Amino acid sequence: MTERITPALARRIALAAQGFGAARPARVTGAHLRRTLDRLALHQIDSVNVLTRAHYMPAFSRLGSYDTTLVDRAAWGTRGQRRMFEYWAHEASLLPLELHPLLRWRMDRADRGMMRSAGMRAFAGERRGEAMALLHRIRSEGPLAASDIESSRTGWWMWSDAKLALEWLFYAGHVTTATRRRGFERVYDVPERVIPRAILDLPTPDEATAQAALVARAARALGVATATELRDYFRLSPADNAAAITRLVEEGVLRPVTIPGWPKAYIHHQARRPRRITGQALLAPFDPLIWERARTERLFGFNYRIEIYVPAAKRRYGYYVLPFLLDGELVARVDLKADRQRRRLQVQSCHLEPGAPPDTSERLGAELELMAGWLGLDSVISRPQP
């Protein structure tokens, strides 16, 4: 018989799976960061930097103020420091090194030209020799970025071609990110100089086994989820996802559940079921708790859309709006900007949700002060000043 759970319990399960509800540590260490990454399975990377880079935010939301160089070393440090690798997962993402074997099937498909981008696909086929020549150059000369190739004297690369070739090499696993970024520009190096030998030597599972393992990781990170939400986490195809779910149900890793108002859903067999969730957090638009907008609405009754690409005059809430999580509910949204020149956190707008608790403003203010200090800013201001 399929278990029936309430929407309120589903919300608590989802929050606990994502690492909310626990007390924040007094001092955040590399071990805390590794546990957070292990729990979430990935941190999405995004180029928007109006507040801070997206990959720094999940740890702050869950752990509080911490030294972001912990992320930098884990993501782009030397082989001895590195705990993550960069690859296309949900989107561009930082992932635990142990997931590398589980994504080699995707690299293999890219190597065979199985991708949407026609520009990159050409380098798997008729232009493969050009990409291999570039790979040889990286292997012999050292790490390169697209701008290095654009400014070189070879003459036959246009920037767009250089970037497409590098991205195909990256997608196909022939290169990975080097031990540094140049600003936000990706710098490429061969895996054997960057990723620990112990990881590269791990056996490669077959596609079906790897995909089932990825869906299991997604289910552990989500707690309870629909098939669409499980598929979205690592961006699997519907067919691959369906086969993985069937396998995981048969193995007892996933259990079907019924939730009023939800499509068919599944719960991870180890999911915690807390009686309540306490605490507060500001959530970046790319946080895995809320990046699937239909799920956010089902869990919290909170309609959330990122309005970065909406014309300013048509925005409802603002450019870079962070939902505010308070004791298990999304109760407010704030449009934030880091004014680094004036060293202040700028609250462009703030909107409370209907029924927000009386102490929402006070606790939101405390979280904003915490964020300002974490970002190295001296103050929080409630509106732009001339």
Side-chain angles (χ1 to χ4, degrees):
M1 182 176 178
T2 302
E3 181 185 9
R4 180 183 175 92
I5 64 176
T6 66
L9 177 56
R11 182 170 58 251
R12 295 195 301 273
I13 291 170
L15 285 163
Q18 283 281 302
F20 293 104
R24 288 169 169 170
R27 176 179 171 273
V28 178
T29 66
H32 292 113
L33 179 65
R34 288 192 292 274
R35 284 195 290 271
T36 297
L37 179 65
D38 178 67
R39 183 191 298 274
L40 301 183
L42 60 86
H43 286 6
Q44 185 174 336
I45 301 171
D46 190 80
S47 61
V48 176
N49 196 26
V50 67
L51 183 64
T52 189
R53 298 292 185 191
H55 56 276
Y56 294 128
M57 275 296 299
F60 171 76
S61 299
R62 290 153 180 81
L63 302 173
S65 183
Y66 74 100
D67 182 356
T68 57
T69 61
L70 291 172
V71 171
D72 294 337
R73 286 197 299 269
W76 298 289
T78 63
R79 284 177 114 187
Q81 295 172 321
R82 192 167 290 211
R83 297 290 182 270
M84 311 180 197
F85 73 104
E86 191 175 334
Y87 191 61
W88 291 100
H90 180 76
E91 292 286 344
S93 305
L94 292 171
L95 304 107
L97 281 171
E98 61 267 22
L99 293 195
H100 190 275
L102 303 184
L103 288 159
R104 290 176 191 162
W105 62 272
R106 183 168 283 169
M107 298 174 191
D108 180 64
R109 288 187 183 184
D111 187 67
R112 290 181 281 132
M114 298 173 64
M115 59 186 66
R116 293 180 182 177
S117 168
M120 279 198 283
R121 193 161 57 243
F123 290 100
E126 64 268 23
R127 301 187 68 179
R128 189 182 186 95
E130 299 171 37
M132 291 297 104
L134 180 54
L135 176 61
H136 176 74
R137 182 177 168 186
I138 294 171
R139 183 168 282 121
S140 59
E141 296 179 18
L144 291 173
S147 59
D148 296 320
I149 299 159
E150 181 189 21
S151 61
S152 71
R153 297 180 182 179
T154 56
W156 53 281
W157 285 104
M158 292 182 62
W159 187 93
S160 58
D161 282 345
K163 183 63 175 175
L164 285 169
L166 286 167
E167 282 300 302
W168 174 75
L169 289 168
F170 177 76
Y171 208 153
H174 297 299
V175 299
T176 187
T177 48
T179 55
R180 67 186 189 279
R181 268 182 176 259
R182 188 177 298 162
F184 198 68
E185 185 182 20
R186 188 177 279 153
V187 180
Y188 305 84
D189 201 356
V190 289
E192 55 265 30
R193 283 202 293 251
V194 177
I195 295 177
R197 188 77 252 168
I199 297 297
L200 295 177
D201 288 343
L202 289 173
T204 301
D206 63 79
E207 285 195 7
T209 299
Q211 290 159 2
L214 290 174
V215 173
R217 288 296 293 256
R220 196 178 81 177
L222 294 170
V224 60
T226 66
T228 299
E229 292 158 4
L230 292 170
R231 178 172 70 86
D232 177 71
Y233 213 84
F234 288 99
R235 297 289 166 87
L236 301 181
S237 73
D240 291 339
N241 186 65
I245 289 174
T246 297
R247 176 172 175 167
L248 292 170
V249 169
E250 291 173 352
E251 293 173 354
V253 176
L254 296 182
R255 298 169 184 162
V257 292
T258 299
I259 307 169
W262 284 46
K264 184 177 181 180
Y266 303 87
I267 189 170
H268 191 272
H269 71 113
Q270 294 178 331
R272 290 179 50 237
R273 304 182 182 215
R275 294 180 179 272
R276 60 189 301 234
I277 295 287
T278 59
Q280 61 276 339
L282 286 160
L283 305 170
F286 308 104
D287 192 288
L289 179 67
I290 57 170
W291 67 31
E292 216 288 332
R293 309 310 188 201
R295 175 178 171 86
T296 302
E297 195 150 3
R298 269 195 300 274
L299 282 171
F300 300 101
F302 188 88
N303 183 276
Y304 180 54
R305 301 292 183 271
I306 190 167
E307 298 181 276
I308 289 173
Y309 306 109
V310 176
K314 296 184 178 181
R315 289 179 194 135
R316 185 177 179 188
Y317 295 109
Y319 179 81
Y320 200 74
V321 175
L322 281 70
F324 180 52
L325 177 70
L326 181 63
D327 295 340
E329 300 281 356
L330 295 179
V331 299
R333 54 189 96 203
V334 286
D335 183 19
L336 298 179
K337 178 181 179 180
D339 185 342
R340 297 175 182 90
Q341 185 175 0
R342 299 180 182 180
R343 298 182 60 84
R344 62 194 189 186
L345 179 60
Q346 203 160 275
V347 182
Q348 312 278 59
S349 67
C350 178
H351 298 84
L352 301 186
E353 292 294 290
D359 62 348
T360 296
S361 294
E362 179 183 356
R363 293 175 68 179
L364 173 57
E367 196 69 7
L368 289 169
E369 291 285 351
L370 182 69
M371 173 177 278
W374 173 58
L375 296 175
L377 306 174
D378 296 334
S379 62
V380 179
I381 63 166
S382 59
R383 62 180 58 85
Q385 295 178 358

